[in-house]
Amino acid sequence: MLIVSAIAGLGLVRLHRLAFPAAPPLVDQAARWERARARAGRRALMDVAPEDQTWSKRAAEWFAEHLRTRRPDDMQTYERDLAITGQPMEEWLAKLLVWFLVGLLGPVTLVLIANAGGLGVPMLVAPALGLLGAIVAVIGEVKELREQAAKRREELCDALSDFLDLVVMAMEGGRSHADALPDIAEIGNGWAFHTLHDAIDNARPNGMTPWQALGEVGERYGVVELLDLRAALNLAQDEGTSIRNTLIARAQSMREARLHDAHARANKSTDAMRNNLMVMALVAAAYVILARVLFLFTA
């Protein structure tokens, strides 16, 4: 009777919760609505109907939404890397999934072919090789993305340094920063200068200052130098400091940072060349000494 009464009581409690459910938390509802709105916006940007997507892209979209919910910080890092390299998240994840399957099934296929040819490779080796191949494929794809993003950020920082130097030169000639910023941005070529020009050109219609627009580019691409520039100019504006002096100081600091990086790369290349020469000298010496030693033992 006690067990039956307990089961009946649990059933009544469950029926009461089903009949009168508790109101969901407002924060969770707002977060769920925001995720749905962002997902609809990304689908609109992709301009692809859900029924026209391939299985890999649908799986990649589901995986991306799951990661955005579970690991938002990691996804933000990958989204910045993909944004600066010009790759959509879903397409990159679909390519990553394909490489994962290739690395996973490729060794298994090779082992089956080898066994069909009579080599007698143990079948337990196939899953281990497949798992290792899948891990190597994923790590290689992620490393390639990181290297491309780092290279693009370096190009954008170099373009920003040149841009600030030209702006400072224009202001030294008597022009104001409001006139110098858009005019100088039109001079440069390449995707980096075009990015700076688009940000500055769209700042005024959107009711923002040029450095606020450049700061948004820094947030989207993960470029710290643009965020520092926005913070420095906002601080100068709040404290009443001359924006011209702030731009001059920022241009000088970025120029010195570029020189320091160039010296570091040159020193690293010099060390690498020295190490290669030492290895070549040791190999040559070992070849001569080994020949003499062999001659003594065979004489």
Side-chain angles (χ1 to χ4, degrees):
M1 289 297 296
L2 291 175
I3 294 175
V4 172
S5 301
I7 294 175
L10 291 175
L12 292 175
V13 171
R14 180 60 179 170
L15 288 175
H16 180 269
R17 289 183 178 180
L18 290 175
F20 304 98
L26 184 59
V27 176
D28 295 341
Q29 285 286 90
R32 192 180 301 110
W33 177 81
E34 183 64 27
R35 288 194 298 268
R37 189 176 67 87
R39 183 167 56 252
R42 287 190 293 269
R43 286 179 177 175
L45 290 176
M46 292 174 61
D47 196 19
V48 178
E51 59 272 8
D52 296 335
Q53 292 182 349
T54 60
W55 66 269
S56 60
K57 288 188 177 181
R58 285 196 295 267
E61 184 179 358
W62 174 85
F63 187 61
E65 294 299 331
H66 182 73
L67 286 180
R68 286 189 182 99
T69 305
R70 301 294 182 181
R71 306 292 295 272
D73 295 336
D74 294 339
M75 284 300 296
Q76 188 177 17
T77 301
Y78 286 114
E79 285 177 347
R80 288 173 176 175
D81 291 343
L82 291 170
I84 198 170
T85 56
Q87 303 180 57
M89 171 65 73
E90 284 74 14
E91 291 185 3
W92 181 76
L93 285 176
K95 183 172 66 173
L96 188 67
L97 177 61
V98 171
W99 279 112
F100 176 80
L101 293 177
V102 169
L104 183 65
L105 301 178
V108 177
T109 305
L110 293 177
V111 170
L112 292 176
I113 294 174
N115 289 333
L119 294 180
V121 180
M123 287 302 299
L124 294 177
V125 178
L129 292 177
L131 183 60
L132 180 62
I135 294 174
V136 170
V138 171
I139 292 176
E141 189 67 26
V142 172
K143 184 179 179 181
E144 182 182 1
L145 174 63
R146 294 291 176 85
E147 291 177 352
Q148 291 179 359
K151 183 179 179 180
R152 300 272 284 190
R153 288 191 181 97
E154 186 177 358
E155 292 177 0
L156 186 56
C157 290
D158 292 341
L160 179 63
S161 178
D162 296 335
F163 171 72
L164 291 179
D165 288 336
L166 294 174
V167 169
V168 169
M169 291 173 61
M171 289 191 299
E172 292 289 344
R175 303 181 65 181
S176 64
H177 70 276
D179 296 332
L181 287 173
D183 294 340
I184 298 300
E186 295 179 355
I187 297 176
N189 296 322
W191 73 271
F193 264 95
H194 291 165
T195 301
L196 298 177
H197 174 262
D198 293 339
I200 295 173
D201 190 44
N202 296 326
R204 182 173 296 177
N206 293 328
M208 296 186 298
T209 58
W211 45 88
Q212 288 176 344
L214 293 176
E216 289 189 353
V217 174
E219 291 179 355
R220 185 167 65 252
Y221 291 161
V223 181
V224 182
E225 287 77 6
L226 289 172
L227 299 176
D228 293 341
L229 178 64
R230 181 181 63 179
L233 291 174
N234 286 333
L235 184 62
Q237 186 179 13
D238 293 338
E239 294 183 352
T241 311
S242 175
I243 295 179
R244 175 177 175 272
N245 295 334
T246 304
L247 286 174
I248 292 174
R250 181 59 56 178
Q252 182 178 359
S253 63
M254 291 195 68
R255 193 183 314 115
E256 292 175 353
R258 290 180 65 187
L259 289 174
H260 179 73
D261 292 339
H263 284 301
R265 286 195 296 267
N267 293 331
K268 186 177 180 180
S269 300
T270 303
D271 294 338
M273 292 175 63
R274 186 183 299 113
N275 294 333
N276 291 334
L277 289 175
M278 292 178 61
V279 171
M280 292 172 63
L282 290 175
V283 171
Y287 177 77
V288 175
I289 294 172
L290 183 60
R292 294 295 182 181
V293 171
L294 291 176
F295 176 76
L296 292 175
F297 279 102
T298 58

